[in-house]
Amino acid sequence: MLEENYQIWNREILTAVCFSEFEEEPEALTPEFRSAIQDKIDFINRHHQEILNSASGMAELAEDWLIQGIEDDTVDLDELTSVTMEDGTEVAFPVTEKAFKNSLYLIDVTFEFRKNSEICKAFLEFGCEPDYFCGHRVHIKINEEHQIICEGI
């Protein structure tokens, strides 16, 4: 595995480059590998909102995690307007899709090559602020055909 920093969404992001199914891992990135990586980075940069939108539905899961943290079983969830998290952070309840998407930030990206330098997948890992999932990350994959798939946490 090789690691490099790339500019993604106006931030320097550490990326890992993996070579699945290769008999021997390259010692450096060839121009062909760099071209495939740049193609994925360009796609990621152009489709920022679509990538975040792929996590729709995760707001409901964030709510479930917040509810699990409520120790008082007499709380009426219909009347709940905020929840205090373990770290003391108070968050609005229910968690809206907009609030959830705004909480996401990109932590790292892994590019995976299988058997050749043209076929490249990207795996993006996101954290949340506030940390709805207690350190667990949201995983979004971009496959060879540039399909964006949220794989959950």
Side-chain angles (χ1 to χ4, degrees), residues 57-68 100 132-133 152-153:
M58 295 293 291
E60 188 174 317
L61 184 59
E63 278 185 13
D64 290 345
W65 279 59
L66 289 174
I67 291 168
Q68 289 177 12
F100 180 76
Y132 294 114
F133 301 120
I153 53 174

Side-chain angles (χ1 to χ4, degrees), residues 70-140:
I70 298 172
E71 294 178 8
D72 181 355
D73 59 357
T74 64
V75 171
D76 183 354
L77 296 179
D78 291 331
E79 294 179 11
L80 198 59
T81 59
S82 68
V83 173
T84 303
M85 298 174 64
E86 244 179 55
D87 65 1
T89 304
E90 190 157 325
V91 295
F93 191 88
V95 179
T96 65
E97 287 290 337
K98 182 178 179 179
F100 180 76
K101 285 190 265 186
N102 287 339
S103 79
L104 293 173
Y105 63 92
L106 186 60
I107 296 173
D108 59 41
V109 178
T110 301
F111 297 104
E112 180 184 73
F113 289 93
R114 291 181 176 258
K115 294 189 181 183
N116 64 44
S117 61
E118 291 88 38
I119 298 176
C120 178
K121 295 179 186 176
F123 299 90
L124 291 73
E125 290 191 335
F126 291 85
C128 301
E129 186 57 47
D131 190 3
Y132 294 114
F133 301 120
C134 304
H136 291 75
R137 296 176 175 184
V138 176
H139 300 270
I140 297 176

Side-chain angles (χ1 to χ4, degrees), residues 8-9 13-16 40-41 43-45 47-52 54-55 104-112 120-127 137-143 146-153:
I8 300 174
W9 298 340
I13 301 293
L14 179 64
T15 67
K40 278 292 191 246
I41 289 172
F43 179 86
I44 292 167
N45 283 330
H47 295 88
H48 187 167
Q49 201 57 52
E50 279 178 74
I51 291 167
L52 294 179
S54 75
L104 293 173
Y105 63 92
L106 186 60
I107 296 173
D108 59 41
V109 178
T110 301
F111 297 104
E112 180 184 73
C120 178
K121 295 179 186 176
F123 299 90
L124 291 73
E125 290 191 335
F126 291 85
R137 296 176 175 184
V138 176
H139 300 270
I140 297 176
K141 174 176 77 174
I142 302 172
N143 69 13
H146 295 299
Q147 294 171 316
I148 303 165
I149 304 150
C150 181
E151 298 186 319
I153 53 174

